[in-house]
Amino acid sequence: MGRSSWTWTALLLLLPTLLPVPSASSSSRLTIHPGCQASSGGVDIPYPFGIGCFRPGFEIACVTSTTPVLAGTSPAVRVLSLSVMPRPEARVTLPVAYQCYNQTGNATDDFSYGTVDLNPAGVYRISNTYNELFVLGCYTLGYTNSGPGGRYRYMVYTGCMAYCNDSGSAQDGACAGIGCCRVDIPPGLADNKMKFSSCWWRDAMEFSPCDYAFIVEKGYYTFRATDLRMDVAQATMPLRLDWAIRGDGNGTSMSMSCAQAANRPGYTCKSDHSECVDSTNGPGYVCNCTKGYEGNLYLDEGCTNINECERSREEFPCHGECHDTDGSYDCRCCLGYQSNGDPKENPCNPKFPLAAKLTLGMNTVFNNKFSCTYISSFICNHVSEETAVQKE
Ligand SMILES: *[C@@H]1O[C@H](CO)[C@@H](O)[C@H](O)[C@H]1NC(C)=O
Ligand SMILES: *[C@@H]1O[C@H](CO)[C@@H](O)[C@H](O)[C@H]1NC(C)=O
Ligand SMILES: *[C@@H]1O[C@H](CO)[C@@H](O)[C@H](O)[C@H]1NC(C)=O
Ligand SMILES: *[C@@H]1O[C@H](CO)[C@@H](O)[C@H](O)[C@H]1NC(C)=O
Ligand SMILES: *[C@@H]1O[C@H](CO)[C@@H](O)[C@H](O)[C@H]1NC(C)=O
């Protein structure tokens, strides 16, 4: 069967844009367990993740010096980025599942359920908020199931049906059931094993020799009719995983909610200025610093005060003079200035006529030459403007 390498090439070309761009602010605040490797292949690795040094269940391995993967996964699940706060998340790539057919309509040996044993320690769930499921084909029901123990064998079954009338039916950019369908996924998905239930049709062999299914980050994938002939051999899609503290990470204890875990040994969110948040995707809990504090609670360091005044004014706005406080910050207008409201939101304007302002302003400049220095340039501008007016 003729394979088009176009799609895979396109995916490869797109991959670099998915890699996290290390930003000075995020990496300088990254918390690493002492003695742990901080990054691999441009991916920051904050504890509880780690190479050789990790909380059970969060091990990262390297297949080459530049490719971090989730340890214990086969085929290896490549890691694009890892984060602890504000959202516990791992971005990874997973293979596209497919089933191809031969000229007599038999499913060929060439197939993949997309299974990767993604979750050996059970700490991950596929994010239902940030991902969606696509099925491509011309007469196929594609679906995934997950989690033992439902009314039928699993807790979750979800998928959709894609159909084409003929070779001209599927349209680029349209994914509403013709050649392509998409659905939101429910919380609780712990792996991405896909299944197909399809009807073979001889004429479709030309333009749709296979069925495909994959979960992908919302907004990443746009359907192309030529993708009905996608070269699947190595095709992968980026998606986001939620993680949480679920048991002890090695399957020897039950996952607990915040309330259940709070008084037991091993509870992680103990330090001051921290809070426990129940996982919204699967069982378990995560730790977070309360507002105004930061730190990595999975290390023992706890949460420390954020000095908002040293951060960007976009993140923590202040139109006057900024003073850090424990857990927050004050913002006041400089002497001689006032704000029509809270100077965190509204600009500070001069209170008095120019002469008084000049004196007060100069005093302020001398008393506190760093925080209010901008006043001097403000005054200079006004003095020269008024002088110019008087001369006319
Ligand atoms: C398709 O596959 C079936 C089962 O594997 C086989 O018997 C049949 O000969 C194949 N047909 C073609 C055209 O390859
Ligand atoms: C598949 O192959 C078998 C023989 O291996 C044949 O009997 C059957 O009709 C073929 N077609 C389908 C659609 O299964
Ligand atoms: C459906 O496909 C048939 C056979 O290719 C074609 O004759 C017909 O015009 C198609 N209908 C539509 C609505 O495209
Ligand atoms: C599971 O992990 C805990 C630490 O979280 C450890 O003390 C325990 O020995 C581990 N059990 C097994 C069977 O590996
Ligand atoms: C953690 O706290 C920050 C700031 O207080 C908040 O934006 C974020 O949503 C919280 N994360 C979780 C998982 O609750």
Side-chain angles (χ1 to χ4, degrees):
M1 148 191 353
R3 283 184 182 277
S4 145
S5 61
W6 180 87
T7 309
W8 176 228
T9 314
L11 287 176
L12 278 179
L13 289 173
L14 284 167
L15 272 177
T17 64
L18 294 168
L19 293 172
V21 181
S23 76
S25 65
S26 78
S27 55
S28 63
R29 271 180 267 154
L30 182 71
T31 37
I32 305 299
H33 203 292
C36 290
Q37 192 173 334
S39 76
S40 165
V43 176
D44 290 336
I45 307 180
Y47 198 82
F49 296 99
I51 297 174
C53 165
F54 50 86
R55 185 186 171 96
F58 294 92
E59 184 175 5
I60 302 299
C62 282
V63 288
T64 69
S65 61
T66 55
T67 312
V69 300
L70 298 182
T73 52
S74 171
V77 174
R78 180 168 168 203
V79 174
L80 300 174
S81 70
L82 300 168
S83 75
V84 174
M85 285 218 295
R87 212 173 33 243
E89 190 173 86
R91 289 176 70 238
V92 301
T93 61
L94 291 182
V96 169
Y98 59 93
Q99 171 68 74
C100 298
Y101 303 89
N102 74 9
Q103 293 293 340
T104 52
N106 292 94
T108 61
D109 292 342
D110 184 10
F111 76 100
S112 162
Y113 289 143
T115 318
V116 286
D117 193 13
L118 154 71
N119 212 357
V123 298
Y124 301 109
R125 293 293 181 275
I126 295 173
S127 167
N128 57 300
T129 315
Y130 294 103
N131 302 303
E132 56 190 340
L133 169 66
F134 281 88
V135 174
L136 273 54
C138 276
Y139 199 164
T140 187
L141 169 68
Y143 64 99
T144 184
N145 53 36
S146 187
R151 186 151 64 92
Y152 293 95
R153 210 171 142 199
Y154 298 98
M155 277 303 293
V156 173
Y157 293 83
T158 192
C160 59
M161 175 118 192
Y163 172 77
C164 314
N165 179 50
D166 60 21
S167 62
S169 302
Q171 297 297 317
D172 288 356
C175 186
I178 303 178
C180 174
C181 62
R182 57 154 299 280
V183 284
D184 285 341
I185 57 172
L189 281 182
D191 60 51
N192 76 324
K193 183 177 184 177
M194 303 292 176
K195 298 218 173 130
F196 300 100
S197 173
S198 57
C199 298
W200 179 77
W201 167 38
R202 179 182 304 277
D203 294 349
M205 287 302 290
E206 276 297 301
F207 58 90
S208 177
C210 307
D211 300 323
Y212 311 91
F214 50 88
I215 296 173
V216 61
E217 201 166 356
K218 275 184 184 168
Y220 176 83
Y221 177 73
T222 304
F223 174 68
R224 300 277 152 228
T226 50
D227 288 350
L228 290 167
R229 302 179 53 80
M230 168 186 328
D231 176 11
V232 286
Q234 299 178 76
T236 60
M237 290 286 169
L239 77 157
R240 302 201 200 183
L241 305 176
D242 296 327
W243 58 265
I245 302 301
R246 300 197 161 107
D248 58 13
N250 50 18
T252 54
S253 75
M254 295 279 292
S255 292
M256 286 182 273
S257 65
C258 290
Q260 291 166 328
N263 296 314
R264 314 245 177 139
Y267 177 59
T268 312
C269 320
K270 277 179 297 206
S271 52
D272 289 348
H273 310 301
S274 73
E275 62 188 1
C276 181
V277 183
D278 283 326
S279 167
T280 52
N281 187 359
Y285 66 88
V286 295
C287 302
N288 203 3
C289 292
T290 51
K291 197 162 181 288
Y293 295 85
E294 67 184 0
N296 187 325
L297 283 162
Y298 304 94
L299 296 173
D300 291 334
E301 69 178 28
C303 299
T304 53
N305 175 51
I306 297 174
N307 186 343
E308 290 86 353
C309 300
E310 289 177 352
R311 297 287 172 78
S312 78
R313 291 286 157 103
E314 276 110 59
E315 206 181 345
F316 300 104
C318 177
H319 294 278
E321 200 178 4
C322 183
H323 292 281
D324 182 42
T325 63
D326 194 24
S328 183
Y329 67 107
D330 284 342
C331 175
R332 278 176 241 137
C333 292
C334 290
L335 201 54
Y337 286 74
Q338 66 188 359
S339 175
N340 190 12
D342 184 350
K344 284 185 184 172
E345 273 124 47
N346 299 295
C348 294
N349 295 312
K351 216 189 264 184
F352 304 118
L354 179 68
K357 196 178 67 197
L358 189 64
T359 327
L360 286 168
M362 291 313 281
N363 278 339
T364 316
V365 171
F366 284 118
N367 290 343
N368 197 345
K369 61 181 177 224
F370 294 109
S371 52
C372 287
T373 39
Y374 72 90
I375 289 179
S376 52
S377 63
F378 183 90
I379 291 169
C380 292
N381 290 339
H382 276 250
V383 170
S384 50
E385 268 170 38
E386 295 199 7
T387 319
V389 172
Q390 279 164 8
K391 273 184 191 158
E392 272 169 26

